[in-house]
Structure formats: structure tokens, C-alpha cells
Amino acid sequence: MRAIRALAVVLGLALIGGCAHAGATPSAFPGEVPAVRTAPAAAAPPEQPAQVPAAPPTTTPAPATTATTAATTAAPVTTAPRTAPPRTAVVAGLAAGTPCKATVAACVQLSTKKAWLVRDGKAVYGPVPITSGRPGWRTPPGTFAVTFKNINHKSSLFNNAPMPYSVFFNGGIAFHQGSLSVQSHGCIHLSKAAAQTFFSSLSKGSVVQVVA
């Protein structure tokens, strides 16, 4: 038995010696795992600073421009309210366009043989032609008031002579339709159209002025 063990040791040593050929790396001790040769690590490239991606440009919005308009506070202008003169206002003095006062309703001028209707201080109708009283029957000047009207009057003094559209203002003297070529017995003769207008425009109490 001892001889067999001795033989085995001899054979083991021979095998170990025969297996050690070029390129093999024997272990220092039987059964030890041979060291693994590793290639030297390549030198690491110098460390580069981390590339931080550039932040996108930040556009700061311009502050909103608030147009501040200074409110101009003007002092309130006080204007007096316009008041139109009343339609019935009478202009002092003469009625415009006539020789009579502004307060009358009818005007007669004997020298020029003209007559007017007056309202609100001015002539609104005329002048229209007239004839007045003949000698001995002259129409007296003065200021009078209408006493009555009669559209189909007939003269009680002159044989029922027709006096259409009569407007009496001085006793028996009246405006009425009559001849513009023949003088009267004191009345104011008017054309038919004028007599109708005077009759419709004048009323009891209307002021009539007769001037020379």
C-alpha cells in the first residue's frame, strides 16, 4: 500500500512538470485558481464639464403701457337759458311798416289812402288801397275800438245802400266793401278781398287808429 502511494506521488509530480508549457500560468499551489490577467484599463479621458443645455432666451414682456390721459376737468359753463320772446310781445313805438302805434289792430292813413292790419307790433296785411270821406263828410283821425260787425249791412241814412262786410269803429263809420274811385260819406272803402279780410280779422274791441 505504501508502495502504491509512493508511486502515485511520483507520477503526480511528473504530470505537473510536463504540463507547464509556454503561455500557461501555473498556480503557486495545487488547486489554486490561476490569476486572470486583465488588460490594463485605458486611461480615462479628462473629465469634461457637464454640458448644461442653454436655457431658451427669456423674453420679458414689456410692461403694458397704460395711456393715462389726464382728464381735463373744465369748469362747467353756465349759460342762461334762451327764452324766446312771447309771440304777443309788442314792440314799443310804431308798428313796423305802418304810421300807427304797435298796439293797434288796424291802421288807416288818409293822406296816402292806405290801410293795414297789425299783429304783435307789425303789419301782417297791407298796405291795401282805400277811399275815405269826401268834403263835408271827412273821416276824422283818432284811435277807436270796433263796436260791431254786420256782413250784409245796408245804410239807413243813404237809401239802404249796401255796405257788405261792415266793421263799425266810430259811430256810423265803418270799413266795408265800396268804390275805390268814389269817396265815401266818412266810411273806409275797401276792395271786396280786403273787406273780407278786415271783417274776418277784426272783432269787437279791436283797436283802430286813423292818422292824417
Side-chain angles (χ1 to χ4, degrees), residues 163-209:
M163 299 171 59
Y165 306 105
S166 288
V167 179
F168 289 88
F169 60 87
N170 180 13
I173 296 176
F175 294 108
H176 67 83
Q177 178 184 342
S179 173
L180 294 179
S181 59
V182 178
Q183 289 180 303
S184 72
H185 289 91
C187 288
I188 304 297
H189 286 178
L190 298 166
S191 69
K192 181 178 180 179
Q196 290 173 332
T197 302
F198 272 64
F199 187 89
S200 62
S201 300
L202 300 174
S203 58
K204 186 177 179 179
S206 296
V207 177
V208 178
Q209 184 178 7

Side-chain angles (χ1 to χ4, degrees), residues 87-183:
R87 191 172 183 276
T88 55
V90 175
V91 179
L94 301 181
T98 79
C100 299
K101 293 181 180 179
T103 53
V104 304
C107 173
V108 176
Q109 188 173 38
L110 301 173
S111 61
T112 60
K113 300 181 180 180
K114 293 178 180 178
W116 298 260
L117 288 174
V118 177
R119 186 181 304 137
D120 297 337
K122 61 182 178 181
V124 293
Y125 181 73
V128 293
I130 67 163
T131 53
S132 59
R134 65 189 66 182
W137 301 89
R138 295 296 185 191
T139 305
T143 302
F144 313 95
V146 172
T147 53
F148 75 98
K149 303 192 303 181
N150 188 346
I151 196 169
N152 291 312
H153 188 73
K154 289 181 172 55
S155 174
S156 60
L157 295 175
F158 301 99
N159 302 315
N160 289 324
M163 299 171 59
Y165 306 105
S166 288
V167 179
F168 289 88
F169 60 87
N170 180 13
I173 296 176
F175 294 108
H176 67 83
Q177 178 184 342
S179 173
L180 294 179
S181 59
V182 178
Q183 289 180 303

